[in-house]
Amino acid sequence: MAVPGDLLSVFSGKKEILEIGCTALRIISVSFIPAAFVIMLTVYFQGVNLGKASISITILRQIILLVPLAWVFHFKGLSYVWLTFPVTEVVALLFCIYLYKKKRPEDAGEGKKLADTYGCKADIASGF
């Protein structure tokens, strides 16, 4: 992030808050790209009726990784606590990719089963 100071100065002008916030924002912003893909894949899994995969990603991100990693990293100092976010998102993205390769609906036939249930003629490859 190129201008964290300008962005944070909207909330506070105190020097120490800006110092902590600039460091935090630079580190946390690294996680935005993997987080976007994690969120997209979570919604994808919901959309193709793979709710268990979707909820497992959410539980991994928010409970299994985020809170324990923040606790472990706090022993090294505040700068390490901010690393919790990129580490969590990268691990969650790797898990998403694994699930995507393992649980594609066209491989499992789940999309066709769902379409047959509702009497639809679905083209599984295109999603329509």
Side-chain angles (χ1 to χ4, degrees), residues 29-45:
S29 67
V30 171
S31 69
F32 294 166
I33 301 296
F37 285 102
V38 170
I39 292 167
M40 284 189 292
L41 284 166
T42 302
V43 173
Y44 165 79
F45 287 128

Side-chain angles (χ1 to χ4, degrees), residues 3 8 13 17 41 55 60 63 71-72 77 85 87 102 118-120:
V3 288
L8 292 169
I17 290 179
L41 284 166
I55 195 69
L60 176 72
I63 298 171
W71 182 78
V72 168
F85 296 95
V87 170
K102 181 181 174 194
Y118 293 105
C120 299

